[in-house]
Amino acid sequence: LKGLNTAYSTNEIIEEKIRKNNLTSNNFIISSFRWDELEKFRSVNKKVPIAILVDSLNKIDNAILLAKKINANSLNPNKNFLTKSVVKKIKNKNLKVFPYTVNNYLNIKKMKSYEVDGIITDYPERINK
């Protein structure tokens, strides 16, 4: 959800795709820095998984609170502030952690050592090296 007032129209598109293509809610995931739009989306769609994008360390606690409020599946924090203790804090709240955008080998190795649940990258072929 990239902009203001995108939650409702995005939900309509997803619902149409589910109906027309024999898909399920789990074929989609909604993620955004627009937390207000994530709340709007959840108000009309209780099934599609949601991931909250987090761009700074000082927003982690609020992101966790929001995740619980809207039943999000994961937090997707920026790799630049992520530490093993932050990952543990998030996972202790029964949320998955998928840091973004992890492209170089050293950062990929670091994120793996933090035991994240997955990695958002532009180069998926680098993950298993």
Side-chain angles (χ1 to χ4, degrees):
L1 304 175
K2 292 265 187 187
L4 185 62
N5 298 319
T6 54
Y8 303 126
S9 57
T10 300
N11 181 61
E12 290 174 14
I13 292 167
I14 289 172
E15 291 296 328
E16 179 183 344
K17 295 292 182 188
I18 288 172
R19 277 191 312 277
K20 288 185 175 179
N21 298 297
N22 196 31
L23 301 172
T24 70
S25 297
N26 287 326
N27 290 112
F28 301 88
I29 187 164
I30 296 295
S31 185
S32 184
F33 291 108
R34 297 289 313 241
W35 297 3
D36 57 333
E37 291 296 319
L38 292 174
E39 287 185 273
K40 289 176 190 176
F41 183 86
R42 181 53 83 218
S43 75
V44 295
N45 190 312
K46 306 290 188 214
K47 294 181 182 178
V48 170
I50 288 179
I52 301 171
L53 288 165
V54 187
D55 60 4
S56 69
L57 181 59
N58 65 356
K59 294 181 181 177
I60 287 291
D61 289 335
N62 287 337
I64 290 170
L65 290 173
L66 176 62
K68 293 304 176 184
K69 178 181 177 185
I70 66 172
N71 195 28
N73 300 66
S74 66
L75 296 189
N76 296 357
N78 185 307
K79 71 175 178 331
N80 294 328
F81 67 81
L82 205 57
T83 64
K84 192 166 194 146
S85 65
V86 172
V87 171
K88 186 174 184 177
K89 178 180 190 173
I90 296 167
K91 289 180 131 196
N92 282 342
K93 300 297 182 178
N94 295 317
L95 296 164
K96 293 187 184 265
V97 180
F98 299 98
Y100 72 89
T101 302
V102 188
N103 286 332
N104 76 49
Y105 291 108
L106 289 176
N107 284 331
I108 290 169
K109 186 176 180 179
K110 185 191 319 182
M111 293 301 115
K112 285 180 174 183
S113 76
Y114 295 168
E115 299 179 8
V116 298
D117 297 288
I119 294 173
I120 298 170
T121 182
D122 296 323
Y123 303 99
E125 69 278 4
R126 295 179 182 174
I127 298 298
N128 291 323
K129 292 195 177 194

mmCIF file of all heavy atoms in Angstrom, residues 20-66:
data_model
loop_
_atom_site.group_PDB
_atom_site.id
_atom_site.type_symbol
_atom_site.label_atom_id
_atom_site.label_comp_id
_atom_site.label_asym_id
_atom_site.label_seq_id
_atom_site.Cartn_x
_atom_site.Cartn_y
_atom_site.Cartn_z
ATOM 1 N N LYS A 20 -11.878 -14.990 -9.131
ATOM 2 C CA LYS A 20 -11.715 -15.359 -10.538
ATOM 3 C C LYS A 20 -10.625 -16.400 -10.784
ATOM 4 O O LYS A 20 -10.646 -17.065 -11.820
ATOM 5 C CB LYS A 20 -11.411 -14.111 -11.381
ATOM 6 C CG LYS A 20 -12.601 -13.207 -11.542
ATOM 7 C CD LYS A 20 -12.299 -12.071 -12.478
ATOM 8 C CE LYS A 20 -13.538 -11.229 -12.720
ATOM 9 N NZ LYS A 20 -13.260 -10.106 -13.622
ATOM 10 N N ASN A 21 -9.684 -16.539 -9.881
ATOM 11 C CA ASN A 21 -8.533 -17.394 -10.146
ATOM 12 C C ASN A 21 -8.369 -18.546 -9.162
ATOM 13 O O ASN A 21 -7.300 -19.152 -9.088
ATOM 14 C CB ASN A 21 -7.251 -16.548 -10.156
ATOM 15 C CG ASN A 21 -7.275 -15.512 -11.251
ATOM 16 O OD1 ASN A 21 -7.320 -15.840 -12.423
ATOM 17 N ND2 ASN A 21 -7.279 -14.249 -10.863
ATOM 18 N N ASN A 22 -9.420 -18.824 -8.412
ATOM 19 C CA ASN A 22 -9.389 -19.931 -7.464
ATOM 20 C C ASN A 22 -8.182 -19.841 -6.532
ATOM 21 O O ASN A 22 -7.456 -20.814 -6.322
ATOM 22 C CB ASN A 22 -9.400 -21.271 -8.211
ATOM 23 C CG ASN A 22 -9.763 -22.423 -7.295
ATOM 24 O OD1 ASN A 22 -10.517 -22.249 -6.340
ATOM 25 N ND2 ASN A 22 -9.202 -23.586 -7.565
ATOM 26 N N LEU A 23 -7.937 -18.663 -5.991
ATOM 27 C CA LEU A 23 -6.836 -18.423 -5.060
ATOM 28 C C LEU A 23 -7.377 -18.344 -3.644
ATOM 29 O O LEU A 23 -8.584 -18.334 -3.436
ATOM 30 C CB LEU A 23 -6.122 -17.112 -5.421
ATOM 31 C CG LEU A 23 -5.525 -17.037 -6.823
ATOM 32 C CD1 LEU A 23 -5.018 -15.628 -7.111
ATOM 33 C CD2 LEU A 23 -4.415 -18.063 -6.980
ATOM 34 N N THR A 24 -6.473 -18.285 -2.686
ATOM 35 C CA THR A 24 -6.857 -18.085 -1.294
ATOM 36 C C THR A 24 -6.189 -16.816 -0.782
ATOM 37 O O THR A 24 -5.271 -16.276 -1.419
ATOM 38 C CB THR A 24 -6.439 -19.262 -0.399
ATOM 39 O OG1 THR A 24 -5.020 -19.268 -0.271
ATOM 40 C CG2 THR A 24 -6.917 -20.594 -0.960
ATOM 41 N N SER A 25 -6.591 -16.392 0.381
ATOM 42 C CA SER A 25 -6.002 -15.202 1.000
ATOM 43 C C SER A 25 -4.507 -15.361 1.212
ATOM 44 O O SER A 25 -3.756 -14.382 1.174
ATOM 45 C CB SER A 25 -6.687 -14.921 2.335
ATOM 46 O OG SER A 25 -8.042 -14.632 2.132
ATOM 47 N N ASN A 26 -4.067 -16.587 1.437
ATOM 48 C CA ASN A 26 -2.644 -16.829 1.675
ATOM 49 C C ASN A 26 -1.778 -16.719 0.428
ATOM 50 O O ASN A 26 -0.557 -16.821 0.523
ATOM 51 C CB ASN A 26 -2.435 -18.183 2.350
ATOM 52 C CG ASN A 26 -2.873 -18.137 3.794
ATOM 53 O OD1 ASN A 26 -2.733 -17.121 4.466
ATOM 54 N ND2 ASN A 26 -3.426 -19.229 4.270
ATOM 55 N N ASN A 27 -2.396 -16.498 -0.736
ATOM 56 C CA ASN A 27 -1.620 -16.223 -1.938
ATOM 57 C C ASN A 27 -1.152 -14.775 -1.992
ATOM 58 O O ASN A 27 -0.434 -14.391 -2.917
ATOM 59 C CB ASN A 27 -2.447 -16.521 -3.201
ATOM 60 C CG ASN A 27 -2.692 -17.994 -3.398
ATOM 61 O OD1 ASN A 27 -3.825 -18.457 -3.276
ATOM 62 N ND2 ASN A 27 -1.651 -18.731 -3.696
ATOM 63 N N PHE A 28 -1.534 -13.988 -1.000
ATOM 64 C CA PHE A 28 -1.220 -12.561 -0.975
ATOM 65 C C PHE A 28 -0.594 -12.180 0.358
ATOM 66 O O PHE A 28 -0.766 -12.885 1.351
ATOM 67 C CB PHE A 28 -2.503 -11.732 -1.165
ATOM 68 C CG PHE A 28 -3.213 -12.012 -2.450
ATOM 69 C CD1 PHE A 28 -4.156 -13.030 -2.531
ATOM 70 C CD2 PHE A 28 -2.938 -11.281 -3.581
ATOM 71 C CE1 PHE A 28 -4.807 -13.307 -3.721
ATOM 72 C CE2 PHE A 28 -3.574 -11.545 -4.782
ATOM 73 C CZ PHE A 28 -4.514 -12.563 -4.848
ATOM 74 N N ILE A 29 0.100 -11.067 0.356
ATOM 75 C CA ILE A 29 0.543 -10.435 1.596
ATOM 76 C C ILE A 29 0.542 -8.931 1.357
ATOM 77 O O ILE A 29 0.963 -8.461 0.296
ATOM 78 C CB ILE A 29 1.929 -10.940 2.061
ATOM 79 C CG1 ILE A 29 2.245 -10.382 3.438
ATOM 80 C CG2 ILE A 29 3.013 -10.602 1.060
ATOM 81 C CD1 ILE A 29 3.383 -11.092 4.147
ATOM 82 N N ILE A 30 0.023 -8.223 2.324
ATOM 83 C CA ILE A 30 -0.028 -6.772 2.250
ATOM 84 C C ILE A 30 1.041 -6.218 3.179
ATOM 85 O O ILE A 30 1.116 -6.592 4.343
ATOM 86 C CB ILE A 30 -1.424 -6.241 2.667
ATOM 87 C CG1 ILE A 30 -2.485 -6.718 1.684
ATOM 88 C CG2 ILE A 30 -1.420 -4.729 2.798
ATOM 89 C CD1 ILE A 30 -2.327 -6.183 0.278
ATOM 90 N N SER A 31 1.858 -5.322 2.634
ATOM 91 C CA SER A 31 2.936 -4.735 3.413
ATOM 92 C C SER A 31 3.025 -3.250 3.083
ATOM 93 O O SER A 31 2.793 -2.856 1.936
ATOM 94 C CB SER A 31 4.257 -5.437 3.059
ATOM 95 O OG SER A 31 5.300 -4.984 3.871
ATOM 96 N N SER A 32 3.354 -2.449 4.105
ATOM 97 C CA SER A 32 3.394 -1.019 3.858
ATOM 98 C C SER A 32 4.078 -0.264 4.984
ATOM 99 O O SER A 32 4.111 -0.721 6.126
ATOM 100 C CB SER A 32 1.958 -0.482 3.709
ATOM 101 O OG SER A 32 1.963 0.885 3.380
ATOM 102 N N PHE A 33 4.611 0.906 4.632
ATOM 103 C CA PHE A 33 5.057 1.883 5.623
ATOM 104 C C PHE A 33 3.864 2.710 6.100
ATOM 105 O O PHE A 33 3.965 3.410 7.100
ATOM 106 C CB PHE A 33 6.092 2.838 5.022
ATOM 107 C CG PHE A 33 7.405 2.188 4.715
ATOM 108 C CD1 PHE A 33 7.788 1.958 3.404
ATOM 109 C CD2 PHE A 33 8.271 1.818 5.731
ATOM 110 C CE1 PHE A 33 9.010 1.381 3.116
ATOM 111 C CE2 PHE A 33 9.490 1.232 5.456
ATOM 112 C CZ PHE A 33 9.858 1.018 4.141
ATOM 113 N N ARG A 34 2.764 2.658 5.360
ATOM 114 C CA ARG A 34 1.550 3.418 5.684
ATOM 115 C C ARG A 34 0.724 2.603 6.663
ATOM 116 O O ARG A 34 -0.182 1.862 6.296
ATOM 117 C CB ARG A 34 0.734 3.700 4.412
ATOM 118 C CG ARG A 34 1.382 4.562 3.356
ATOM 119 C CD ARG A 34 1.507 5.997 3.763
ATOM 120 N NE ARG A 34 0.288 6.531 4.321
ATOM 121 C CZ ARG A 34 -0.401 7.545 3.810
ATOM 122 N NH1 ARG A 34 0.013 8.138 2.721
ATOM 123 N NH2 ARG A 34 -1.490 7.969 4.412
ATOM 124 N N TRP A 35 1.047 2.759 7.931
ATOM 125 C CA TRP A 35 0.374 1.972 8.958
ATOM 126 C C TRP A 35 -1.118 2.278 9.016
ATOM 127 O O TRP A 35 -1.924 1.395 9.304
ATOM 128 C CB TRP A 35 1.042 2.189 10.301
ATOM 129 C CG TRP A 35 2.465 1.730 10.359
ATOM 130 C CD1 TRP A 35 3.227 1.197 9.333
ATOM 131 C CD2 TRP A 35 3.313 1.733 11.490
ATOM 132 N NE1 TRP A 35 4.479 0.900 9.770
ATOM 133 C CE2 TRP A 35 4.569 1.221 11.097
ATOM 134 C CE3 TRP A 35 3.138 2.149 12.807
ATOM 135 C CZ2 TRP A 35 5.630 1.092 11.979
ATOM 136 C CZ3 TRP A 35 4.202 2.019 13.687
ATOM 137 C CH2 TRP A 35 5.435 1.492 13.269
ATOM 138 N N ASP A 36 -1.488 3.505 8.723
ATOM 139 C CA ASP A 36 -2.906 3.863 8.700
ATOM 140 C C ASP A 36 -3.643 3.073 7.620
ATOM 141 O O ASP A 36 -4.766 2.620 7.830
ATOM 142 C CB ASP A 36 -3.091 5.368 8.501
ATOM 143 C CG ASP A 36 -2.426 5.919 7.238
ATOM 144 O OD1 ASP A 36 -1.418 5.327 6.751
ATOM 145 O OD2 ASP A 36 -2.888 6.965 6.737
ATOM 146 N N GLU A 37 -2.997 2.863 6.496
ATOM 147 C CA GLU A 37 -3.615 2.085 5.415
ATOM 148 C C GLU A 37 -3.679 0.603 5.778
ATOM 149 O O GLU A 37 -4.635 -0.079 5.411
ATOM 150 C CB GLU A 37 -2.864 2.293 4.098
ATOM 151 C CG GLU A 37 -3.017 3.687 3.526
ATOM 152 C CD GLU A 37 -4.443 4.045 3.138
ATOM 153 O OE1 GLU A 37 -5.166 3.191 2.576
ATOM 154 O OE2 GLU A 37 -4.849 5.190 3.406
ATOM 155 N N LEU A 38 -2.691 0.108 6.510
ATOM 156 C CA LEU A 38 -2.753 -1.288 6.970
ATOM 157 C C LEU A 38 -3.947 -1.489 7.896
ATOM 158 O O LEU A 38 -4.640 -2.508 7.813
ATOM 159 C CB LEU A 38 -1.458 -1.676 7.682
ATOM 160 C CG LEU A 38 -0.209 -1.766 6.812
ATOM 161 C CD1 LEU A 38 1.023 -2.024 7.675
ATOM 162 C CD2 LEU A 38 -0.351 -2.834 5.738
ATOM 163 N N GLU A 39 -4.192 -0.517 8.761
ATOM 164 C CA GLU A 39 -5.367 -0.608 9.651
ATOM 165 C C GLU A 39 -6.659 -0.596 8.849
ATOM 166 O O GLU A 39 -7.581 -1.368 9.131
ATOM 167 C CB GLU A 39 -5.356 0.537 10.656
ATOM 168 C CG GLU A 39 -4.306 0.385 11.727
ATOM 169 C CD GLU A 39 -4.388 1.471 12.780
ATOM 170 O OE1 GLU A 39 -3.786 2.538 12.577
ATOM 171 O OE2 GLU A 39 -5.066 1.227 13.796
ATOM 172 N N LYS A 40 -6.740 0.265 7.861
ATOM 173 C CA LYS A 40 -7.936 0.312 7.012
ATOM 174 C C LYS A 40 -8.122 -1.013 6.279
ATOM 175 O O LYS A 40 -9.240 -1.530 6.192
ATOM 176 C CB LYS A 40 -7.825 1.446 5.984
ATOM 177 C CG LYS A 40 -7.935 2.823 6.562
ATOM 178 C CD LYS A 40 -7.718 3.863 5.470
ATOM 179 C CE LYS A 40 -7.589 5.257 6.031
ATOM 180 N NZ LYS A 40 -7.275 6.236 4.959
ATOM 181 N N PHE A 41 -7.021 -1.539 5.746
ATOM 182 C CA PHE A 41 -7.108 -2.811 5.028
ATOM 183 C C PHE A 41 -7.635 -3.911 5.945
ATOM 184 O O PHE A 41 -8.534 -4.659 5.577
ATOM 185 C CB PHE A 41 -5.745 -3.210 4.440
ATOM 186 C CG PHE A 41 -5.815 -4.464 3.636
ATOM 187 C CD1 PHE A 41 -6.158 -4.417 2.301
ATOM 188 C CD2 PHE A 41 -5.581 -5.697 4.226
ATOM 189 C CE1 PHE A 41 -6.269 -5.585 1.551
ATOM 190 C CE2 PHE A 41 -5.682 -6.869 3.494
ATOM 191 C CZ PHE A 41 -6.035 -6.813 2.146
ATOM 192 N N ARG A 42 -7.083 -3.990 7.148
ATOM 193 C CA ARG A 42 -7.513 -5.033 8.077
ATOM 194 C C ARG A 42 -8.987 -4.866 8.453
ATOM 195 O O ARG A 42 -9.681 -5.848 8.699
ATOM 196 C CB ARG A 42 -6.636 -5.036 9.331
ATOM 197 C CG ARG A 42 -7.000 -6.114 10.332
ATOM 198 C CD ARG A 42 -7.052 -7.531 9.750
ATOM 199 N NE ARG A 42 -5.728 -8.123 9.691
ATOM 200 C CZ ARG A 42 -5.313 -8.896 8.701
ATOM 201 N NH1 ARG A 42 -6.105 -9.191 7.678
ATOM 202 N NH2 ARG A 42 -4.105 -9.398 8.713
ATOM 203 N N SER A 43 -9.471 -3.657 8.474
ATOM 204 C CA SER A 43 -10.879 -3.441 8.833
ATOM 205 C C SER A 43 -11.836 -4.060 7.821
ATOM 206 O O SER A 43 -12.956 -4.404 8.165
ATOM 207 C CB SER A 43 -11.172 -1.952 9.008
ATOM 208 O OG SER A 43 -11.240 -1.288 7.758
ATOM 209 N N VAL A 44 -11.387 -4.222 6.574
ATOM 210 C CA VAL A 44 -12.249 -4.802 5.543
ATOM 211 C C VAL A 44 -11.821 -6.204 5.133
ATOM 212 O O VAL A 44 -12.562 -6.889 4.429
ATOM 213 C CB VAL A 44 -12.349 -3.900 4.287
ATOM 214 C CG1 VAL A 44 -13.036 -2.601 4.635
ATOM 215 C CG2 VAL A 44 -11.001 -3.672 3.645
ATOM 216 N N ASN A 45 -10.636 -6.613 5.549
ATOM 217 C CA ASN A 45 -10.163 -7.948 5.185
ATOM 218 C C ASN A 45 -9.414 -8.547 6.370
ATOM 219 O O ASN A 45 -8.324 -8.105 6.715
ATOM 220 C CB ASN A 45 -9.252 -7.884 3.956
ATOM 221 C CG ASN A 45 -8.952 -9.256 3.409
ATOM 222 O OD1 ASN A 45 -8.596 -10.159 4.146
ATOM 223 N ND2 ASN A 45 -9.089 -9.403 2.099
ATOM 224 N N LYS A 46 -10.003 -9.551 6.971
ATOM 225 C CA LYS A 46 -9.434 -10.184 8.166
ATOM 226 C C LYS A 46 -8.518 -11.358 7.827
ATOM 227 O O LYS A 46 -7.895 -11.920 8.717
ATOM 228 C CB LYS A 46 -10.544 -10.693 9.094
ATOM 229 C CG LYS A 46 -11.574 -9.659 9.479
ATOM 230 C CD LYS A 46 -11.003 -8.629 10.404
ATOM 231 C CE LYS A 46 -12.110 -7.733 10.925
ATOM 232 N NZ LYS A 46 -11.701 -6.376 11.128
ATOM 233 N N LYS A 47 -8.451 -11.759 6.558
ATOM 234 C CA LYS A 47 -7.769 -13.002 6.194
ATOM 235 C C LYS A 47 -6.400 -12.817 5.545
ATOM 236 O O LYS A 47 -5.510 -13.627 5.774
ATOM 237 C CB LYS A 47 -8.663 -13.818 5.265
ATOM 238 C CG LYS A 47 -9.927 -14.317 5.940
ATOM 239 C CD LYS A 47 -10.760 -15.126 4.981
ATOM 240 C CE LYS A 47 -12.044 -15.587 5.653
ATOM 241 N NZ LYS A 47 -12.882 -16.331 4.716
ATOM 242 N N VAL A 48 -6.233 -11.830 4.707
ATOM 243 C CA VAL A 48 -4.967 -11.672 3.987
ATOM 244 C C VAL A 48 -3.856 -11.321 4.975
ATOM 245 O O VAL A 48 -4.016 -10.432 5.813
ATOM 246 C CB VAL A 48 -5.085 -10.581 2.898
ATOM 247 C CG1 VAL A 48 -3.723 -10.242 2.310
ATOM 248 C CG2 VAL A 48 -6.027 -11.041 1.793
ATOM 249 N N PRO A 49 -2.732 -12.026 4.913
ATOM 250 C CA PRO A 49 -1.613 -11.729 5.815
ATOM 251 C C PRO A 49 -1.092 -10.300 5.625
ATOM 252 O O PRO A 49 -1.061 -9.783 4.509
ATOM 253 C CB PRO A 49 -0.547 -12.745 5.408
ATOM 254 C CG PRO A 49 -1.294 -13.845 4.731
ATOM 255 C CD PRO A 49 -2.459 -13.187 4.061
ATOM 256 N N ILE A 50 -0.685 -9.715 6.736
ATOM 257 C CA ILE A 50 -0.142 -8.352 6.735
ATOM 258 C C ILE A 50 1.248 -8.365 7.340
ATOM 259 O O ILE A 50 1.498 -9.032 8.343
ATOM 260 C CB ILE A 50 -1.051 -7.399 7.536
ATOM 261 C CG1 ILE A 50 -2.344 -7.136 6.770
ATOM 262 C CG2 ILE A 50 -0.331 -6.086 7.852
ATOM 263 C CD1 ILE A 50 -3.314 -6.216 7.482
ATOM 264 N N ALA A 51 2.151 -7.596 6.718
ATOM 265 C CA ALA A 51 3.499 -7.366 7.234
ATOM 266 C C ALA A 51 3.698 -5.863 7.380
ATOM 267 O O ALA A 51 3.387 -5.102 6.465
ATOM 268 C CB ALA A 51 4.542 -7.945 6.292
ATOM 269 N N ILE A 52 4.213 -5.463 8.513
ATOM 270 C CA ILE A 52 4.409 -4.040 8.784
ATOM 271 C C ILE A 52 5.855 -3.667 8.477
ATOM 272 O O ILE A 52 6.781 -4.208 9.083
ATOM 273 C CB ILE A 52 4.072 -3.714 10.247
ATOM 274 C CG1 ILE A 52 2.618 -4.085 10.535
ATOM 275 C CG2 ILE A 52 4.349 -2.254 10.553
ATOM 276 C CD1 ILE A 52 2.241 -4.004 12.006
ATOM 277 N N LEU A 53 6.041 -2.748 7.547
ATOM 278 C CA LEU A 53 7.372 -2.240 7.249
ATOM 279 C C LEU A 53 7.783 -1.243 8.325
ATOM 280 O O LEU A 53 6.992 -0.380 8.719
ATOM 281 C CB LEU A 53 7.397 -1.574 5.879
ATOM 282 C CG LEU A 53 7.319 -2.527 4.687
ATOM 283 C CD1 LEU A 53 6.991 -1.777 3.414
ATOM 284 C CD2 LEU A 53 8.622 -3.291 4.529
ATOM 285 N N VAL A 54 9.032 -1.375 8.804
ATOM 286 C CA VAL A 54 9.531 -0.524 9.891
ATOM 287 C C VAL A 54 10.865 0.065 9.448
ATOM 288 O O VAL A 54 11.812 -0.672 9.166
ATOM 289 C CB VAL A 54 9.720 -1.322 11.200
ATOM 290 C CG1 VAL A 54 10.078 -0.394 12.345
ATOM 291 C CG2 VAL A 54 8.491 -2.142 11.531
ATOM 292 N N ASP A 55 10.927 1.405 9.403
ATOM 293 C CA ASP A 55 12.122 2.053 8.875
ATOM 294 C C ASP A 55 13.086 2.605 9.921
ATOM 295 O O ASP A 55 14.123 3.168 9.568
ATOM 296 C CB ASP A 55 11.745 3.148 7.884
ATOM 297 C CG ASP A 55 10.877 4.232 8.490
ATOM 298 O OD1 ASP A 55 10.615 4.202 9.705
ATOM 299 O OD2 ASP A 55 10.445 5.123 7.733
ATOM 300 N N SER A 56 12.759 2.460 11.211
ATOM 301 C CA SER A 56 13.698 2.932 12.233
ATOM 302 C C SER A 56 13.501 2.166 13.539
ATOM 303 O O SER A 56 12.406 1.693 13.842
ATOM 304 C CB SER A 56 13.569 4.433 12.467
ATOM 305 O OG SER A 56 12.344 4.736 13.085
ATOM 306 N N LEU A 57 14.568 2.082 14.288
ATOM 307 C CA LEU A 57 14.557 1.338 15.544
ATOM 308 C C LEU A 57 13.543 1.893 16.533
ATOM 309 O O LEU A 57 12.876 1.138 17.233
ATOM 310 C CB LEU A 57 15.962 1.350 16.158
ATOM 311 C CG LEU A 57 16.138 0.595 17.467
ATOM 312 C CD1 LEU A 57 15.778 -0.876 17.304
ATOM 313 C CD2 LEU A 57 17.568 0.735 17.969
ATOM 314 N N ASN A 58 13.390 3.201 16.576
ATOM 315 C CA ASN A 58 12.472 3.791 17.559
ATOM 316 C C ASN A 58 10.998 3.525 17.244
ATOM 317 O O ASN A 58 10.139 3.887 18.037
ATOM 318 C CB ASN A 58 12.742 5.282 17.737
ATOM 319 C CG ASN A 58 12.467 6.098 16.489
ATOM 320 O OD1 ASN A 58 12.140 5.553 15.440
ATOM 321 N ND2 ASN A 58 12.611 7.399 16.600
ATOM 322 N N LYS A 59 10.709 2.867 16.134
ATOM 323 C CA LYS A 59 9.320 2.526 15.787
ATOM 324 C C LYS A 59 8.974 1.065 16.082
ATOM 325 O O LYS A 59 7.827 0.663 15.899
ATOM 326 C CB LYS A 59 9.056 2.826 14.312
ATOM 327 C CG LYS A 59 9.111 4.306 13.977
ATOM 328 C CD LYS A 59 8.814 4.534 12.521
ATOM 329 C CE LYS A 59 8.884 6.013 12.161
ATOM 330 N NZ LYS A 59 8.659 6.217 10.713
ATOM 331 N N ILE A 60 9.946 0.278 16.522
ATOM 332 C CA ILE A 60 9.715 -1.159 16.726
ATOM 333 C C ILE A 60 8.602 -1.418 17.736
ATOM 334 O O ILE A 60 7.700 -2.225 17.483
ATOM 335 C CB ILE A 60 11.016 -1.876 17.145
ATOM 336 C CG1 ILE A 60 11.967 -1.985 15.963
ATOM 337 C CG2 ILE A 60 10.738 -3.259 17.734
ATOM 338 C CD1 ILE A 60 11.525 -2.927 14.875
ATOM 339 N N ASP A 61 8.648 -0.770 18.880
ATOM 340 C CA ASP A 61 7.625 -1.028 19.903
ATOM 341 C C ASP A 61 6.230 -0.693 19.395
ATOM 342 O O ASP A 61 5.285 -1.462 19.609
ATOM 343 C CB ASP A 61 7.928 -0.242 21.182
ATOM 344 C CG ASP A 61 9.140 -0.786 21.924
ATOM 345 O OD1 ASP A 61 9.468 -1.976 21.760
ATOM 346 O OD2 ASP A 61 9.767 -0.009 22.672
ATOM 347 N N ASN A 62 6.094 0.429 18.703
ATOM 348 C CA ASN A 62 4.784 0.791 18.151
ATOM 349 C C ASN A 62 4.360 -0.175 17.053
ATOM 350 O O ASN A 62 3.173 -0.476 16.908
ATOM 351 C CB ASN A 62 4.800 2.224 17.630
ATOM 352 C CG ASN A 62 4.802 3.235 18.750
ATOM 353 O OD1 ASN A 62 4.375 2.946 19.868
ATOM 354 N ND2 ASN A 62 5.300 4.422 18.475
ATOM 355 N N ALA A 63 5.324 -0.656 16.280
ATOM 356 C CA ALA A 63 5.004 -1.627 15.224
ATOM 357 C C ALA A 63 4.498 -2.936 15.834
ATOM 358 O O ALA A 63 3.554 -3.538 15.318
ATOM 359 C CB ALA A 63 6.225 -1.879 14.351
ATOM 360 N N ILE A 64 5.114 -3.347 16.931
ATOM 361 C CA ILE A 64 4.661 -4.571 17.616
ATOM 362 C C ILE A 64 3.242 -4.381 18.138
ATOM 363 O O ILE A 64 2.386 -5.265 17.987
ATOM 364 C CB ILE A 64 5.635 -4.960 18.744
ATOM 365 C CG1 ILE A 64 6.960 -5.454 18.151
ATOM 366 C CG2 ILE A 64 5.022 -6.027 19.655
ATOM 367 C CD1 ILE A 64 8.070 -5.634 19.161
ATOM 368 N N LEU A 65 2.976 -3.242 18.734
ATOM 369 C CA LEU A 65 1.619 -2.958 19.231
ATOM 370 C C LEU A 65 0.604 -2.974 18.094
ATOM 371 O O LEU A 65 -0.479 -3.560 18.218
ATOM 372 C CB LEU A 65 1.584 -1.617 19.953
ATOM 373 C CG LEU A 65 2.305 -1.542 21.291
ATOM 374 C CD1 LEU A 65 2.333 -0.107 21.812
ATOM 375 C CD2 LEU A 65 1.664 -2.465 22.316
ATOM 376 N N LEU A 66 0.956 -2.344 16.982
ATOM 377 C CA LEU A 66 0.057 -2.339 15.834
ATOM 378 C C LEU A 66 -0.136 -3.750 15.290
ATOM 379 O O LEU A 66 -1.251 -4.136 14.943
ATOM 380 C CB LEU A 66 0.585 -1.419 14.735
ATOM 381 C CG LEU A 66 -0.239 -1.403 13.443
ATOM 382 C CD1 LEU A 66 -1.658 -0.901 13.699
ATOM 383 C CD2 LEU A 66 0.455 -0.572 12.377
#
